[in-house]
Amino acid sequence: MMWKEKYKVGVPLIDEQHKELFKRLSEFIQVVQSKIPWEEKLESVRETMLFMKEYVIIHFEAEEAYQEKIKYPGIERHREVHAAFKEEVNSYVTLFEQKGLSEEKAQEFSAKLMTWLIMHVCQMDQKIGEYVENKGGEIQ
Ligand SMILES: [Fe+2]
C-alpha cells in the first residue's frame, strides 16, 4: 500500500477517497509490472482504467463540493487543476478504448497517475486541510 500518514488532509471523506485511489493505483502498478504476458494483464488493465476514469470524477466532485461548502478561497485554481488532470486520464482511456494500449503506454499512465497523485495530495489538497485548521477545526 502506498498510502502514507503525511498524505492525510484531515477531512475523513477526502482521506478515504485518497486511500482508495492509492490502493487501486498500487494494485494497477503491480499488475503492469508483473512478469505475466501482456495479453493476460489486459483485462485487469482495462478494469482499472475504467475505474480510474469514473472514480477520479467522483472524487474530484466530492472534493470540490467540500471546498464550496467551506468557502475555500483556492477553489477556482483547484478546479482547473482537477479538470486538466481529468482530461489527461480521459485521453489515456480513449486511447485504450480505440486503439488498445501498449504495455509502454500503460506504464507511462501508471507512472503519471502516481506522480500526479502524490504531488497533488501533498501540495494542493494539504492546503484545504490547513485552511480548515486555521478556521478552527473540522468543518463538515
Ligand atoms: Fe484535489
Side-chain angles (χ1 to χ4, degrees), residues 90-108:
N90 282 341
S91 71
Y92 277 97
V93 175
T94 306
L95 187 73
F96 182 78
E97 283 168 341
Q98 290 176 352
K99 297 184 186 163
L101 208 59
S102 64
E103 193 157 8
E104 244 179 3
K105 277 277 168 196
Q107 267 166 14
E108 183 187 290

Side-chain angles (χ1 to χ4, degrees), residues 28-38 41 103 107:
F28 183 57
I29 290 170
Q30 263 181 10
V31 170
V32 169
Q33 291 179 347
S34 68
K35 298 259 178 277
I36 59 168
W38 175 241
K41 298 177 188 174
E103 193 157 8
Q107 267 166 14

Side-chain angles (χ1 to χ4, degrees), residues 1 36 55 64 66-67 87 97 101 128-129 131-132 135:
M1 179 63 156
I36 59 168
Y55 200 72
E64 288 165 16
Y66 179 76
Q67 292 177 49
E87 266 191 30
E97 283 168 341
L101 208 59
I128 306 172
Y131 175 76
V132 172
K135 283 265 177 180

Side-chain angles (χ1 to χ4, degrees), residues 15-132:
D15 288 331
E16 282 316 304
Q17 292 185 343
H18 283 163
K19 275 183 195 165
E20 180 68 13
L21 277 169
F22 276 103
K23 185 175 143 249
R24 296 294 291 244
L25 181 56
S26 55
E27 287 166 4
F28 183 57
I29 290 170
Q30 263 181 10
V31 170
V32 169
Q33 291 179 347
S34 68
K35 298 259 178 277
I36 59 168
W38 175 241
E39 300 75 47
E40 287 169 35
K41 298 177 188 174
L42 261 179
E43 198 41 49
S44 167
V45 170
R46 173 201 309 277
E47 203 255 325
T48 308
M49 294 203 63
L50 295 180
F51 169 82
M52 286 296 175
K53 182 185 171 179
E54 276 174 23
Y55 200 72
V56 155
I57 294 172
I58 291 170
H59 169 58
F60 286 174
E61 277 176 2
E63 217 184 73
E64 288 165 16
Y66 179 76
Q67 292 177 49
E68 230 167 75
K69 196 157 95 182
I70 62 169
K71 302 196 169 33
Y72 180 63
I75 187 169
E76 283 317 315
R77 176 75 192 123
H78 208 128
R79 268 210 179 101
E80 284 168 19
V81 171
H82 280 174
F85 189 68
K86 224 165 13 186
E87 266 191 30
E88 186 147 23
V89 170
N90 282 341
S91 71
Y92 277 97
V93 175
T94 306
L95 187 73
F96 182 78
E97 283 168 341
Q98 290 176 352
K99 297 184 186 163
L101 208 59
S102 64
E103 193 157 8
E104 244 179 3
K105 277 277 168 196
Q107 267 166 14
E108 183 187 290
F109 177 66
S110 66
K112 265 197 184 160
L113 255 183
M114 185 176 67
T115 312
W116 190 89
L117 198 60
I118 292 173
M119 294 271 287
H120 185 73
V121 168
C122 286
Q123 294 171 6
M124 278 196 111
D125 290 346
Q126 288 306 315
K127 296 212 166 71
I128 306 172
E130 285 163 22
Y131 175 76
V132 172

